[in-house]
């Protein structure tokens, strides 16, 4: 598996290295039949279905260059990064799926075009932030330190960070049993 993984990380998507075992003279002989297959090369990469983000924002995530060896793991990393960019911008249900178009081999190289299919989903914005049950700290002061504010995109991890910040503020004031729920 390690041999196959290494070759796939070099762009040989069809690499295989099956092993055979035989005993000879009290020794175990393991033979690997390594077949790397053709080198797959990135011909082009782009995104389809992008309506709510600026092209420059999308391009900043597409860190793959035409001509480089195609590595599925890197393509998947770019797809995950693009989906996360959408989530940060308030698109919690965004999905990004890579699609590969494999062209006929040229000079022992297989050109591959990658299209990232984007399903943006609805955008969620924060309309208001309210505090209930606060006594020790005025609500306006608590709101000053939050990243999620009215008009900003809703991003669930940021909600958790803001909740922890409010709780920490109370604990720093000596309220060790303070609990903040969203």
């Amino acid at each position: 598996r390690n041999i196959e993984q290494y070759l796939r990380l070099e762009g040989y998507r069809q690499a295989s290295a099956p092993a055979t075992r035989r005993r000879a003279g009290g020794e175990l002989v393991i033979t690997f039949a390594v077949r790397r297959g053709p080198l797959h090369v990135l011909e082009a990469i782009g995104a389809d279905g992008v309506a709510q983000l600026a092209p420059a924002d999308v391009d900043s995530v597409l860190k793959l260059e035409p001509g480089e060896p195609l590595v599925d793991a890197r393509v998947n990393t770019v797809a995950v990064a693009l989906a996360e960019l959408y989530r940060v911008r308030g698109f919690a249900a965004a999905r990004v799926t890579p699609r590969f178009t494999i062209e006929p081999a040229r000079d022992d190289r297989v050109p591959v075009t990658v299209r990232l299919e984007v399903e943006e989903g609805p955008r969620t914005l924060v309309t208001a932030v309210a505090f209930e049950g606060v006594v020790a700290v005025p609500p306006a002061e608590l709101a000053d330190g939050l990243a999620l504010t009215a008009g900003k995109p809703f991003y669930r991890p940021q909600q958790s960070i803001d909740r922890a910040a409010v709780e920490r503020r109370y604990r720093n004031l000596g309220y060790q049993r303070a609990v903040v729920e969203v």
Side-chain angles (χ1 to χ4, degrees):
R1 280 186 257 162
N2 288 344
I3 294 169
E4 290 175 0
Q5 177 70 13
Y6 171 79
L7 290 170
R8 288 186 181 129
L9 289 173
E10 294 294 313
Y12 298 97
R13 296 177 83 214
Q14 298 169 342
S16 66
T20 57
R21 300 170 183 230
R22 66 177 172 83
R23 294 221 177 257
E27 292 183 343
L28 176 63
V29 178
I30 301 173
T31 305
F32 293 94
V34 178
R35 292 188 259 329
R36 24 176 241 199
L39 176 65
H40 288 70
V41 178
L42 182 66
E43 182 82 6
I45 185 168
D48 298 324
V50 176
Q52 300 295 320
L53 295 183
D57 291 337
V58 174
D59 290 345
S60 71
V61 176
L62 304 180
K63 297 291 186 184
L64 303 174
E65 295 292 326
E68 72 179 59
L70 179 74
V71 178
D72 288 22
R74 290 196 64 216
V75 172
N76 290 334
T77 299
V78 168
V80 167
L82 183 55
E84 188 61 18
L85 176 62
Y86 268 97
R87 286 185 194 90
V88 168
R89 301 286 174 89
F91 297 89
R95 292 184 350 164
V96 178
T97 307
R99 300 283 185 232
F100 301 89
T101 303
I102 300 172
E103 299 173 24
R106 294 184 231 143
D107 301 324
D108 293 333
R109 292 176 166 231
V110 177
V112 181
T113 300
V114 176
R115 300 302 301 173
L116 300 174
E117 292 182 5
V118 177
E119 296 175 41
E120 294 178 327
R123 186 173 192 205
T124 306
L125 298 174
V126 176
T127 56
V129 176
F131 297 94
E132 296 175 5
V134 295
V135 178
V137 181
E141 267 185 51
L142 287 175
D144 277 346
L146 302 182
L148 289 180
T149 58
K152 295 241 176 121
F154 177 74
Y155 182 51
R156 189 165 303 280
Q158 187 61 53
Q159 171 190 316
S160 298
I161 292 167
D162 285 353
R163 185 208 60 76
V166 171
E167 193 170 273
R168 188 172 42 258
R169 179 108 186 246
Y170 266 87
R171 294 214 171 136
N172 287 342
L173 292 172
Y175 297 92
Q176 297 304 310
R177 292 188 178 166
V179 176
V180 178
E181 295 177 355
V182 178

